[in-house]
Amino acid sequence: MAEHAAAPEVRRRVGDTLLDLGVTLLCWAWFVGGFLLIFSWAYLLVWLLARDRQGGFQRLNHHFFRVFFLLLTASARRHKLSIDPRLATIRGAVVVCNHLSYLDPLFLVALFPRHRTIVKTRFFSTPIFGAMIARSGYLPATGEGRHASLFLQGMESMSAYLASGGNLFIFPEGTRSRDGRLGPFHPGALKIARMCRAPIYVLRLSGSDRLFTPGRFLFNAHLANTIAVDLLGRLEADGDKPAGVAELDRRLRQVFSGQSPRE
Amino acid sequence: MTREETTAKIIAILSEDFEFENPGPTDNLRDDHGFDSIDAIELLGKIEQTILGFSLTREEKERAMTIRTIDDIVNYIEAIRLAHHTP
């Protein structure tokens, strides 16, 4: 009797695992095959012909990951996306967001056509991927060592980039949260906003860790889930006398905790 | 500007603009005050404007990325001044 009762549960688990595996393989197939067979030609054309190569690479990254998320949500039907419509109006800003999953940076690339971000320095030494992120104008996390020139180049052009409407998105925690709680902030995002006199937009991402949980290889495609990005607020770092980094950090925490930042 | 005046100017910049508390000439700026590469770039901009009066080259800026103390900064400024005044 017990064996008969357990059979549907086993079948359901096997079905869930097969769905997780299928969606994960589909996404990896796009990640590798979509790049090599389709997008690599577009990147090559941009590299050879575009006046603004960096901007061209950023737009291609944006479209590549839009397709990635279209495939993901089309195949993992129980996952829904909820994007705050106000995000489409953000221009010329430093965008900070909490970090839950490796999907988060890909998600923000898919949201912002003109974007830069800060990437762990070791990724710049990775074959192909390192060259792609460097040519996209992404910055290494540190200005020392062999990537110092890239860091300087990115930082020197940052004010003009933001003034022209581009966005810089950063995960100020620097690493994924394992329990959903906010970790300590690295002050880099706040320093850049202050230095470039750019506004800071604060986003809260939720649900991405339910789809791609840290420590797991397979996507949890079978779960019912909503991945949401909400605009929590805006901090001013662009006046004549912007607040100091410590004060901006305090206001940033207030925004994340749902309080209005007191200026 | 003498070495002492340059040191005083750097300390004033770090105290007022970077909000460092009582920075000393031999403090490790990274460990003791959280000084990072972004701060280094902002500080170089201020050194160009208020101390040197000319723009630094990319190579000169790259050299500054490994600076650790205020004494290092002053040594760096003196070396740059010397290089720019040597025919």
Side-chain angles (χ1 to χ4, degrees):
Chain A
M1 281 295 281
E3 279 179 26
H4 283 285
E9 175 62 18
V10 171
R11 272 203 298 276
R12 191 185 60 76
R13 281 192 190 171
V14 170
D16 287 349
T17 305
L18 285 176
L19 178 65
D20 292 354
L21 181 65
V23 170
T24 305
L25 290 178
L26 176 70
C27 289
W28 274 104
W30 172 252
F31 203 75
V32 178
F35 175 75
L36 289 177
L37 300 176
I38 304 170
F39 270 73
S40 59
W41 300 104
Y43 283 107
L44 184 64
L45 282 176
V46 165
W47 178 248
L48 291 173
L49 303 174
R51 275 191 204 159
D52 176 15
R53 286 175 176 164
Q54 215 176 74
F57 269 55
Q58 288 167 15
R59 285 185 181 84
L60 284 173
N61 297 344
H62 166 72
H63 292 301
F64 182 80
F65 286 112
R66 279 183 74 88
V67 177
F68 177 89
F69 281 102
L70 278 174
L71 283 174
L72 186 55
T73 48
S75 54
R77 302 297 293 269
R78 301 182 76 195
H79 287 269
K80 306 294 178 203
L81 298 181
S82 168
I83 314 293
D84 193 319
R86 292 173 296 173
L87 265 57
T89 64
I90 297 176
R91 300 274 187 283
V94 174
V95 176
V96 296
C97 185
N98 62 314
H99 193 7
L100 301 170
S101 157
Y102 281 138
L103 289 177
D104 301 345
L106 315 186
F107 205 56
L108 293 193
V109 170
L111 284 176
F112 296 109
R114 290 192 63 209
H115 61 271
R116 285 183 178 180
T117 187
I118 294 180
V119 181
K120 284 193 168 75
T121 306
R122 62 186 157 88
F123 287 130
F124 286 86
S125 303
T126 311
I128 303 176
F129 182 67
M132 296 296 299
I133 57 178
R135 279 158 184 73
S136 300
Y138 301 172
L139 282 80
T142 57
E144 293 180 41
R146 56 193 282 227
H147 301 297
S149 178
L150 193 62
F151 180 85
L152 275 166
Q153 198 179 324
M155 286 302 301
E156 283 172 355
S157 59
M158 189 61 75
S159 290
Y161 178 74
L162 294 172
S164 73
N167 293 312
L168 170 72
F169 72 79
I170 298 180
F171 299 96
E173 294 162 277
T175 188
R176 293 165 298 163
S177 168
R178 296 302 177 120
D179 57 7
R181 283 185 293 192
L182 279 175
F185 296 148
H186 291 280
L190 307 175
K191 288 178 180 178
I192 292 173
R194 204 171 171 270
M195 191 165 72
C196 299
R197 300 287 196 267
I200 301 164
Y201 282 86
V202 187
L203 309 188
R204 183 192 298 283
L205 222 157
S206 57
S208 59
D209 54 337
R210 273 185 49 88
L211 173 57
F212 192 27
T213 306
R216 264 180 67 88
F217 173 72
L218 296 181
F219 293 144
N220 294 311
H222 67 280
L223 294 178
N225 179 39
T226 299
I227 300 174
V229 191
D230 296 303
L231 175 58
L232 297 183
R234 173 186 155 126
L235 296 176
E236 302 298 335
D238 48 348
D240 289 337
K241 185 82 179 159
V245 170
E247 174 60 17
L248 286 172
D249 184 273
R250 188 185 65 79
R251 291 182 196 168
L252 181 60
R253 287 216 162 264
Q254 281 185 336
V255 173
F256 268 119
S257 65
Q259 302 167 21
S260 301
R262 267 171 271 157
E263 311 242 330
Chain B
M1 198 180 280
T2 64
R3 184 177 174 88
E4 287 69 31
E5 286 169 336
T6 305
T7 303
K9 185 81 184 166
I10 295 293
I11 287 175
I13 291 171
L14 291 175
S15 304
E16 289 161 23
D17 297 335
F18 291 81
E19 302 171 331
F20 291 177
E21 285 182 21
N22 304 317
T26 57
D27 289 359
N28 185 317
L29 294 175
R30 281 164 205 262
D31 296 343
D32 300 339
H33 300 283
F35 188 83
D36 60 20
S37 304
I38 300 165
D39 292 319
I41 288 174
E42 190 173 358
L43 179 62
L44 286 173
K46 292 184 186 300
I47 288 171
E48 285 176 333
Q49 288 166 14
T50 63
I51 297 177
L52 293 173
F54 55 81
S55 296
L56 296 162
T57 65
R58 176 72 53 77
E59 289 72 26
E60 287 169 339
K61 287 180 181 176
E62 277 181 39
R63 289 213 311 269
M65 291 292 119
T66 53
I67 279 172
R68 289 286 180 277
T69 68
I70 291 173
D71 276 347
D72 290 343
I73 298 170
V74 177
N75 292 339
Y76 170 81
I77 291 169
E78 291 190 333
I80 294 285
R81 270 198 192 123
L82 193 64
H84 279 254
H85 286 103
T86 304

